[in-house]
């Protein structure tokens, strides 16, 4: 059985973020709580991951000229990735938000944004200083965003939705402990730890 796009993305992401320069950028940015630098390094990692999977990605600093309108950001999303094809207008294969705000509602807004787009893969990357803060964030996202969709809305979702939380308190186990991954189970409405 073939791995899903989410599985392939996760495996490729772990290979990309272990590269010498990128790994040290992410670790130093997290240790200094410099979330602007963390977001820039993470953007580079996510775009490189998309490229490793054969997807073309747009993001700040990564202008894409695949569609008739050339942009660094499409649909006000941080990363939008497309498969190759002959059509001038194609739909995204993956959409991602890289949220560096600590505010739960800002992260909820990022989740709401990606859930509003038709794509095979939707990911929200965010950050928590300490791993003990993550369960409360996951609960907030479920209660405020996922439950608002209702069961009928959840089961209509196509593709997969992931939540990836970086945590400074787990930086000693970079990248595997540092990045926690959760997948939305559309049947239960819960994020399950991967």
């Amino acid at each position: 059985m073939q791995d899903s796009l989410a599985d392939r993305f996760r495996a490729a992401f772990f290979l990309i973020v272990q590269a010498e320069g990128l790994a040290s950028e992410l670790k130093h940015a997290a240790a200094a709580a410099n979330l602007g630098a963390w977001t820039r390094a993470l953007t580079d990692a996510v775009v490189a991951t998309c490229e490793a999977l054969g997807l073309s990605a747009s993001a700040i600093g990564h202008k894409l000229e695949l569609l008739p309108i050339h942009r660094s950001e499409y649909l006000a999303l941080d990363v939008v990735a497309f498969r190759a094809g002959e059509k001038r207008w194609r739909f995204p294969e993956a959409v991602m938000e890289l949220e560096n705000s600590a505010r739960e509602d800002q992260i909820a807004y990022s989740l709401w944004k990606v859930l509003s787009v038709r794509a095979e893969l939707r990911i929200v990357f965010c950050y928590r200083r300490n791993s003990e803060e993550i369960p409360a964030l996951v609960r907030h996202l479920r209660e405020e965003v996922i439950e608002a969709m209702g069961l009928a809305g959840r089961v209509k979702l196509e593709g997969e939705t992931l939540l990836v939380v970086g945590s400074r308190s787990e930086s000693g186990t970079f990248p595997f402990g540092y990045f926690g991954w959760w997948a939305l189970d559309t049947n239960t409405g819960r994020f399950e730890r991967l």
Side-chain angles (χ1 to χ4, degrees):
M1 187 164 126
Q2 186 177 4
D3 290 337
S4 69
L5 178 57
D7 293 336
R8 289 181 286 130
F9 185 93
R10 185 172 178 230
F13 178 83
F14 278 129
L15 289 175
I16 298 289
V17 296
Q18 291 180 73
E20 185 65 34
L22 202 45
S24 63
E25 281 183 62
L26 283 165
K27 284 185 204 177
H28 292 309
N34 182 346
L35 296 183
W38 183 80
T39 303
R40 285 188 296 279
L42 187 58
T43 299
D44 291 343
V46 167
V47 168
T49 301
C50 290
E51 291 171 352
L53 296 175
L55 302 174
S56 299
S58 68
I60 291 178
H62 301 273
K63 189 173 185 177
L64 189 60
E65 297 183 1
L66 184 68
L67 301 182
I69 304 298
H70 306 161
R71 295 275 189 269
S72 295
E73 282 190 336
Y74 289 104
L75 305 172
L77 290 161
D78 292 333
V79 179
V80 179
F82 302 90
R83 286 209 180 282
E86 296 177 12
K87 299 290 183 192
R88 290 173 13 117
W89 289 104
R90 60 197 75 181
F91 287 89
E93 188 71 15
V95 294
M96 295 160 226
E97 278 290 292
L98 286 61
E99 185 54 62
N100 63 16
S101 174
R103 291 183 46 228
E104 285 182 342
D105 277 339
Q106 193 65 41
I107 298 167
Y109 173 66
S110 290
L111 178 60
W112 178 80
K113 280 173 63 174
V114 299
L115 286 169
S116 297
V117 177
R118 184 177 82 186
E120 180 63 28
L121 179 61
R122 293 172 295 277
I123 305 176
V124 172
F125 288 88
C126 58
Y127 176 83
R128 282 290 178 254
R129 183 173 296 222
N130 298 304
S131 58
E132 296 83 30
E133 300 172 63
I134 297 172
L137 171 65
V138 172
R139 185 173 44 257
H140 178 79
L141 296 174
R142 178 180 44 82
E143 292 171 354
E144 295 295 323
V145 180
I146 304 305
E147 288 182 11
M149 297 176 76
L151 177 60
R154 286 195 322 265
V155 296
K156 288 180 187 175
L157 280 176
E158 293 181 13
E160 296 181 79
T161 304
L162 302 178
L163 175 66
V164 183
V165 185
S167 175
R168 183 170 89 174
S169 64
E170 302 295 329
S171 61
T173 57
F174 187 90
F176 300 100
Y178 179 85
F179 290 103
W181 295 70
W182 285 263
L184 176 63
D185 181 326
T186 55
N187 291 318
T188 65
R190 296 186 177 277
F191 283 98
E192 304 293 338
R193 182 81 190 247
L194 298 178

